[in-house]
Amino acid sequence: ADVHRPPLVARPAAKVAPSKAAPAPAPAEPLELEGALSVLRDVLDYRALRVSELRGQPMDAAAKARFAELTKKLLVDTQGLPSSRRFVRAACELPATVTQYDGSVSRTLEASLGDLGAGGTRLAMVDPAVRVGDEVWVAFDLASLFSFGQKVVFRSRVVWTSERIGATGLMLSLIHI
């Protein structure tokens, strides 16, 4: 099969070496871009509000209402049945970069977001050096799409790869903005 699942192995970060970058993905159409950014905004808001809730930080009425709205919108309704996915995934296309630390080398690869949920993402990219269990950093540079913006970076773990469909699945962890 084309899904690779080796055991988890911790690899220390070290020196940075240049890598051959894949061609940049084609830019999304304005309406598609607006939808993708809306999904990203919802995911960022949900994750920030969830962290506040877990830390026991007080939330005002507007924050509580937004959290309730996003919880209903982003969580999978399993109707009591088991599910392998906790969060709804929304199709969206945004340019992304994936940085991988492998032993003594760091590489950055161009990718394109295929879908996004509060817990993970599917990237349109496959690289034989990116393996299940690897820790990677996936970044969305919003400044490259607008005259303003910032870079949003998620520490992530590779959970599946498929050469057949040309994609890699990531479980999102920490957010760095």
mmCIF file of all heavy atoms in Angstrom, residues 115-151:
data_model
loop_
_atom_site.group_PDB
_atom_site.id
_atom_site.type_symbol
_atom_site.label_atom_id
_atom_site.label_comp_id
_atom_site.label_asym_id
_atom_site.label_seq_id
_atom_site.Cartn_x
_atom_site.Cartn_y
_atom_site.Cartn_z
ATOM 1 N N ASP A 115 -7.099 20.730 2.578
ATOM 2 C CA ASP A 115 -8.225 20.940 3.491
ATOM 3 C C ASP A 115 -7.676 21.280 4.857
ATOM 4 O O ASP A 115 -6.494 21.093 5.128
ATOM 5 C CB ASP A 115 -9.193 19.748 3.522
ATOM 6 C CG ASP A 115 -8.624 18.485 4.119
ATOM 7 O OD1 ASP A 115 -7.732 18.552 5.010
ATOM 8 O OD2 ASP A 115 -9.076 17.398 3.732
ATOM 9 N N LEU A 116 -8.553 21.807 5.701
ATOM 10 C CA LEU A 116 -8.131 22.260 7.022
ATOM 11 C C LEU A 116 -9.259 22.046 8.010
ATOM 12 O O LEU A 116 -10.426 22.282 7.694
ATOM 13 C CB LEU A 116 -7.770 23.752 6.978
ATOM 14 C CG LEU A 116 -7.340 24.420 8.280
ATOM 15 C CD1 LEU A 116 -6.034 23.832 8.794
ATOM 16 C CD2 LEU A 116 -7.202 25.917 8.087
ATOM 17 N N GLY A 117 -8.897 21.570 9.186
ATOM 18 C CA GLY A 117 -9.817 21.444 10.302
ATOM 19 C C GLY A 117 -9.095 21.906 11.554
ATOM 20 O O GLY A 117 -7.886 22.165 11.531
ATOM 21 N N ALA A 118 -9.803 22.001 12.652
ATOM 22 C CA ALA A 118 -9.182 22.480 13.892
ATOM 23 C C ALA A 118 -8.127 21.513 14.409
ATOM 24 O O ALA A 118 -7.283 21.900 15.204
ATOM 25 C CB ALA A 118 -10.250 22.723 14.952
ATOM 26 N N GLY A 119 -8.135 20.274 13.947
ATOM 27 C CA GLY A 119 -7.165 19.296 14.436
ATOM 28 C C GLY A 119 -6.115 18.868 13.443
ATOM 29 O O GLY A 119 -5.126 18.235 13.801
ATOM 30 N N GLY A 120 -6.298 19.195 12.153
ATOM 31 C CA GLY A 120 -5.331 18.738 11.173
ATOM 32 C C GLY A 120 -5.555 19.329 9.804
ATOM 33 O O GLY A 120 -6.477 20.114 9.584
ATOM 34 N N THR A 121 -4.680 18.924 8.881
ATOM 35 C CA THR A 121 -4.742 19.428 7.521
ATOM 36 C C THR A 121 -4.237 18.374 6.549
ATOM 37 O O THR A 121 -3.469 17.486 6.930
ATOM 38 C CB THR A 121 -3.920 20.726 7.373
ATOM 39 O OG1 THR A 121 -4.096 21.245 6.067
ATOM 40 C CG2 THR A 121 -2.446 20.513 7.636
ATOM 41 N N ARG A 122 -4.700 18.486 5.316
ATOM 42 C CA ARG A 122 -4.171 17.661 4.226
ATOM 43 C C ARG A 122 -3.437 18.603 3.296
ATOM 44 O O ARG A 122 -3.985 19.605 2.841
ATOM 45 C CB ARG A 122 -5.292 16.955 3.470
ATOM 46 C CG ARG A 122 -4.783 16.157 2.264
ATOM 47 C CD ARG A 122 -5.905 15.436 1.524
ATOM 48 N NE ARG A 122 -7.068 16.253 1.261
ATOM 49 C CZ ARG A 122 -7.214 17.060 0.209
ATOM 50 N NH1 ARG A 122 -6.248 17.182 -0.681
ATOM 51 N NH2 ARG A 122 -8.331 17.756 0.048
ATOM 52 N N LEU A 123 -2.182 18.278 3.021
ATOM 53 C CA LEU A 123 -1.373 19.086 2.125
ATOM 54 C C LEU A 123 -1.198 18.365 0.799
ATOM 55 O O LEU A 123 -0.998 17.146 0.780
ATOM 56 C CB LEU A 123 0.009 19.349 2.721
ATOM 57 C CG LEU A 123 0.051 20.129 4.022
ATOM 58 C CD1 LEU A 123 1.481 20.200 4.534
ATOM 59 C CD2 LEU A 123 -0.512 21.531 3.831
ATOM 60 N N ALA A 124 -1.268 19.109 -0.288
ATOM 61 C CA ALA A 124 -0.970 18.561 -1.600
ATOM 62 C C ALA A 124 0.543 18.578 -1.760
ATOM 63 O O ALA A 124 1.120 19.548 -2.225
ATOM 64 C CB ALA A 124 -1.660 19.380 -2.690
ATOM 65 N N MET A 125 1.184 17.533 -1.279
ATOM 66 C CA MET A 125 2.635 17.372 -1.397
ATOM 67 C C MET A 125 3.006 15.990 -0.906
ATOM 68 O O MET A 125 2.384 15.451 0.000
ATOM 69 C CB MET A 125 3.390 18.423 -0.611
ATOM 70 C CG MET A 125 3.533 18.119 0.851
ATOM 71 S SD MET A 125 4.924 18.866 1.668
ATOM 72 C CE MET A 125 5.658 17.396 2.326
ATOM 73 N N VAL A 126 3.979 15.412 -1.563
ATOM 74 C CA VAL A 126 4.555 14.158 -1.098
ATOM 75 C C VAL A 126 6.049 14.273 -1.307
ATOM 76 O O VAL A 126 6.506 14.699 -2.356
ATOM 77 C CB VAL A 126 4.018 12.933 -1.884
ATOM 78 C CG1 VAL A 126 4.748 11.673 -1.477
ATOM 79 C CG2 VAL A 126 2.530 12.769 -1.663
ATOM 80 N N ASP A 127 6.794 13.949 -0.296
ATOM 81 C CA ASP A 127 8.248 13.942 -0.383
ATOM 82 C C ASP A 127 8.702 12.698 0.357
ATOM 83 O O ASP A 127 8.308 12.490 1.503
ATOM 84 C CB ASP A 127 8.818 15.210 0.263
ATOM 85 C CG ASP A 127 10.310 15.335 0.062
ATOM 86 O OD1 ASP A 127 11.051 14.453 0.553
ATOM 87 O OD2 ASP A 127 10.740 16.302 -0.578
ATOM 88 N N PRO A 128 9.521 11.856 -0.285
ATOM 89 C CA PRO A 128 9.929 10.610 0.362
ATOM 90 C C PRO A 128 10.634 10.812 1.710
ATOM 91 O O PRO A 128 10.614 9.923 2.561
ATOM 92 C CB PRO A 128 10.886 9.961 -0.637
ATOM 93 C CG PRO A 128 10.719 10.691 -1.911
ATOM 94 C CD PRO A 128 10.088 12.004 -1.612
ATOM 95 N N ALA A 129 11.226 11.978 1.923
ATOM 96 C CA ALA A 129 11.929 12.232 3.183
ATOM 97 C C ALA A 129 10.975 12.611 4.316
ATOM 98 O O ALA A 129 11.356 12.617 5.476
ATOM 99 C CB ALA A 129 12.975 13.325 2.996
ATOM 100 N N VAL A 130 9.719 12.955 3.989
ATOM 101 C CA VAL A 130 8.724 13.299 5.004
ATOM 102 C C VAL A 130 7.964 12.018 5.332
ATOM 103 O O VAL A 130 7.231 11.492 4.511
ATOM 104 C CB VAL A 130 7.760 14.400 4.490
ATOM 105 C CG1 VAL A 130 6.692 14.693 5.522
ATOM 106 C CG2 VAL A 130 8.533 15.663 4.142
ATOM 107 N N ARG A 131 8.177 11.517 6.547
ATOM 108 C CA ARG A 131 7.633 10.212 6.935
ATOM 109 C C ARG A 131 6.647 10.342 8.088
ATOM 110 O O ARG A 131 6.700 11.291 8.864
ATOM 111 C CB ARG A 131 8.781 9.289 7.335
ATOM 112 C CG ARG A 131 9.756 9.017 6.197
ATOM 113 C CD ARG A 131 10.913 8.136 6.630
ATOM 114 N NE ARG A 131 11.636 8.618 7.783
ATOM 115 C CZ ARG A 131 12.673 9.448 7.733
ATOM 116 N NH1 ARG A 131 13.102 9.901 6.591
ATOM 117 N NH2 ARG A 131 13.286 9.819 8.826
ATOM 118 N N VAL A 132 5.776 9.363 8.184
ATOM 119 C CA VAL A 132 4.820 9.311 9.285
ATOM 120 C C VAL A 132 5.593 9.363 10.602
ATOM 121 O O VAL A 132 6.599 8.675 10.769
ATOM 122 C CB VAL A 132 3.950 8.036 9.198
ATOM 123 C CG1 VAL A 132 3.115 7.859 10.459
ATOM 124 C CG2 VAL A 132 3.054 8.094 7.976
ATOM 125 N N GLY A 133 5.119 10.200 11.506
ATOM 126 C CA GLY A 133 5.763 10.366 12.808
ATOM 127 C C GLY A 133 6.697 11.551 12.866
ATOM 128 O O GLY A 133 7.031 12.030 13.948
ATOM 129 N N ASP A 134 7.120 12.082 11.720
ATOM 130 C CA ASP A 134 8.014 13.239 11.703
ATOM 131 C C ASP A 134 7.308 14.471 12.259
ATOM 132 O O ASP A 134 6.120 14.686 12.005
ATOM 133 C CB ASP A 134 8.471 13.573 10.283
ATOM 134 C CG ASP A 134 9.518 12.628 9.739
ATOM 135 O OD1 ASP A 134 10.017 11.778 10.501
ATOM 136 O OD2 ASP A 134 9.833 12.741 8.536
ATOM 137 N N GLU A 135 8.058 15.271 13.003
ATOM 138 C CA GLU A 135 7.563 16.574 13.425
ATOM 139 C C GLU A 135 7.955 17.572 12.346
ATOM 140 O O GLU A 135 9.097 17.592 11.896
ATOM 141 C CB GLU A 135 8.173 16.990 14.760
ATOM 142 C CG GLU A 135 7.662 18.345 15.225
ATOM 143 C CD GLU A 135 8.228 18.753 16.569
ATOM 144 O OE1 GLU A 135 9.356 19.259 16.587
ATOM 145 O OE2 GLU A 135 7.525 18.559 17.566
ATOM 146 N N VAL A 136 6.983 18.373 11.906
ATOM 147 C CA VAL A 136 7.230 19.396 10.894
ATOM 148 C C VAL A 136 6.542 20.686 11.336
ATOM 149 O O VAL A 136 5.699 20.675 12.228
ATOM 150 C CB VAL A 136 6.716 18.969 9.495
ATOM 151 C CG1 VAL A 136 7.443 17.738 8.988
ATOM 152 C CG2 VAL A 136 5.218 18.744 9.494
ATOM 153 N N TRP A 137 6.918 21.767 10.707
ATOM 154 C CA TRP A 137 6.297 23.058 10.952
ATOM 155 C C TRP A 137 5.636 23.476 9.647
ATOM 156 O O TRP A 137 6.294 23.594 8.624
ATOM 157 C CB TRP A 137 7.343 24.089 11.378
ATOM 158 C CG TRP A 137 8.006 23.723 12.649
ATOM 159 C CD1 TRP A 137 9.055 22.863 12.824
ATOM 160 C CD2 TRP A 137 7.656 24.171 13.960
ATOM 161 N NE1 TRP A 137 9.375 22.761 14.153
ATOM 162 C CE2 TRP A 137 8.544 23.551 14.876
ATOM 163 C CE3 TRP A 137 6.694 25.043 14.447
ATOM 164 C CZ2 TRP A 137 8.470 23.774 16.236
ATOM 165 C CZ3 TRP A 137 6.632 25.266 15.807
ATOM 166 C CH2 TRP A 137 7.513 24.638 16.687
ATOM 167 N N VAL A 138 4.317 23.677 9.667
ATOM 168 C CA VAL A 138 3.600 24.120 8.476
ATOM 169 C C VAL A 138 3.242 25.592 8.672
ATOM 170 O O VAL A 138 2.757 25.988 9.724
ATOM 171 C CB VAL A 138 2.359 23.247 8.176
ATOM 172 C CG1 VAL A 138 1.344 23.298 9.283
ATOM 173 C CG2 VAL A 138 1.716 23.634 6.858
ATOM 174 N N ALA A 139 3.561 26.397 7.648
ATOM 175 C CA ALA A 139 3.378 27.846 7.760
ATOM 176 C C ALA A 139 2.523 28.376 6.619
ATOM 177 O O ALA A 139 2.645 27.928 5.475
ATOM 178 C CB ALA A 139 4.740 28.542 7.742
ATOM 179 N N PHE A 140 1.668 29.325 6.964
ATOM 180 C CA PHE A 140 0.861 30.053 5.999
ATOM 181 C C PHE A 140 1.292 31.507 6.107
ATOM 182 O O PHE A 140 1.109 32.119 7.149
ATOM 183 C CB PHE A 140 -0.631 29.929 6.319
ATOM 184 C CG PHE A 140 -1.065 28.508 6.489
ATOM 185 C CD1 PHE A 140 -1.250 27.986 7.756
ATOM 186 C CD2 PHE A 140 -1.264 27.693 5.397
ATOM 187 C CE1 PHE A 140 -1.634 26.667 7.927
ATOM 188 C CE2 PHE A 140 -1.653 26.371 5.557
ATOM 189 C CZ PHE A 140 -1.844 25.864 6.819
ATOM 190 N N ASP A 141 1.886 32.038 5.054
ATOM 191 C CA ASP A 141 2.379 33.411 5.072
ATOM 192 C C ASP A 141 1.302 34.321 4.504
ATOM 193 O O ASP A 141 1.186 34.489 3.297
ATOM 194 C CB ASP A 141 3.661 33.525 4.271
ATOM 195 C CG ASP A 141 4.324 34.882 4.412
ATOM 196 O OD1 ASP A 141 3.754 35.759 5.103
ATOM 197 O OD2 ASP A 141 5.407 35.060 3.843
ATOM 198 N N LEU A 142 0.469 34.874 5.390
ATOM 199 C CA LEU A 142 -0.636 35.714 4.951
ATOM 200 C C LEU A 142 -0.143 37.017 4.340
ATOM 201 O O LEU A 142 -0.816 37.609 3.510
ATOM 202 C CB LEU A 142 -1.590 35.979 6.116
ATOM 203 C CG LEU A 142 -2.157 34.714 6.773
ATOM 204 C CD1 LEU A 142 -3.132 35.077 7.872
ATOM 205 C CD2 LEU A 142 -2.794 33.794 5.760
ATOM 206 N N ALA A 143 1.055 37.456 4.706
ATOM 207 C CA ALA A 143 1.622 38.678 4.130
ATOM 208 C C ALA A 143 1.910 38.476 2.646
ATOM 209 O O ALA A 143 1.902 39.434 1.878
ATOM 210 C CB ALA A 143 2.886 39.087 4.879
ATOM 211 N N SER A 144 2.153 37.231 2.219
ATOM 212 C CA SER A 144 2.412 36.985 0.798
ATOM 213 C C SER A 144 1.134 37.079 -0.023
ATOM 214 O O SER A 144 1.178 37.196 -1.240
ATOM 215 C CB SER A 144 3.057 35.608 0.604
ATOM 216 O OG SER A 144 2.108 34.584 0.859
ATOM 217 N N LEU A 145 -0.026 37.037 0.633
ATOM 218 C CA LEU A 145 -1.308 37.110 -0.066
ATOM 219 C C LEU A 145 -1.891 38.511 -0.060
ATOM 220 O O LEU A 145 -2.740 38.841 -0.871
ATOM 221 C CB LEU A 145 -2.312 36.150 0.584
ATOM 222 C CG LEU A 145 -1.890 34.680 0.630
ATOM 223 C CD1 LEU A 145 -2.874 33.880 1.455
ATOM 224 C CD2 LEU A 145 -1.787 34.119 -0.774
ATOM 225 N N PHE A 146 -1.454 39.329 0.887
ATOM 226 C CA PHE A 146 -1.994 40.677 1.056
ATOM 227 C C PHE A 146 -0.837 41.639 1.267
ATOM 228 O O PHE A 146 0.287 41.241 1.479
ATOM 229 C CB PHE A 146 -2.894 40.749 2.306
ATOM 230 C CG PHE A 146 -4.015 39.761 2.280
ATOM 231 C CD1 PHE A 146 -3.935 38.603 3.017
ATOM 232 C CD2 PHE A 146 -5.144 39.988 1.515
ATOM 233 C CE1 PHE A 146 -4.961 37.681 3.002
ATOM 234 C CE2 PHE A 146 -6.174 39.076 1.492
ATOM 235 C CZ PHE A 146 -6.086 37.920 2.228
ATOM 236 N N SER A 147 -1.155 42.930 1.256
ATOM 237 C CA SER A 147 -0.126 43.920 1.561
ATOM 238 C C SER A 147 0.087 44.008 3.071
ATOM 239 O O SER A 147 0.943 44.726 3.537
ATOM 240 C CB SER A 147 -0.529 45.288 1.000
ATOM 241 O OG SER A 147 -1.758 45.687 1.567
ATOM 242 N N PHE A 148 -0.727 43.299 3.832
ATOM 243 C CA PHE A 148 -0.591 43.244 5.280
ATOM 244 C C PHE A 148 -0.686 41.777 5.669
ATOM 245 O O PHE A 148 -0.917 40.925 4.836
ATOM 246 C CB PHE A 148 -1.711 44.033 5.966
ATOM 247 C CG PHE A 148 -3.071 43.440 5.686
ATOM 248 C CD1 PHE A 148 -3.612 42.486 6.530
ATOM 249 C CD2 PHE A 148 -3.773 43.812 4.553
ATOM 250 C CE1 PHE A 148 -4.854 41.920 6.253
ATOM 251 C CE2 PHE A 148 -5.009 43.249 4.268
ATOM 252 C CZ PHE A 148 -5.552 42.304 5.119
ATOM 253 N N GLY A 149 -0.524 41.473 6.895
ATOM 254 C CA GLY A 149 -0.699 40.087 7.328
ATOM 255 C C GLY A 149 0.463 39.623 8.168
ATOM 256 O O GLY A 149 1.358 40.386 8.504
ATOM 257 N N GLN A 150 0.429 38.370 8.460
ATOM 258 C CA GLN A 150 1.458 37.784 9.290
ATOM 259 C C GLN A 150 1.620 36.330 8.909
ATOM 260 O O GLN A 150 0.849 35.799 8.128
ATOM 261 C CB GLN A 150 1.094 37.922 10.759
ATOM 262 C CG GLN A 150 -0.248 37.297 11.115
ATOM 263 C CD GLN A 150 -0.715 37.739 12.482
ATOM 264 O OE1 GLN A 150 -0.205 38.677 13.040
ATOM 265 N NE2 GLN A 150 -1.696 37.056 13.026
ATOM 266 N N LYS A 151 2.610 35.703 9.466
ATOM 267 C CA LYS A 151 2.840 34.289 9.215
ATOM 268 C C LYS A 151 2.224 33.496 10.356
ATOM 269 O O LYS A 151 2.425 33.806 11.516
ATOM 270 C CB LYS A 151 4.337 33.999 9.126
ATOM 271 C CG LYS A 151 4.654 32.577 8.714
ATOM 272 C CD LYS A 151 6.131 32.373 8.507
ATOM 273 C CE LYS A 151 6.415 32.579 7.047
ATOM 274 N NZ LYS A 151 7.751 32.157 6.646
#
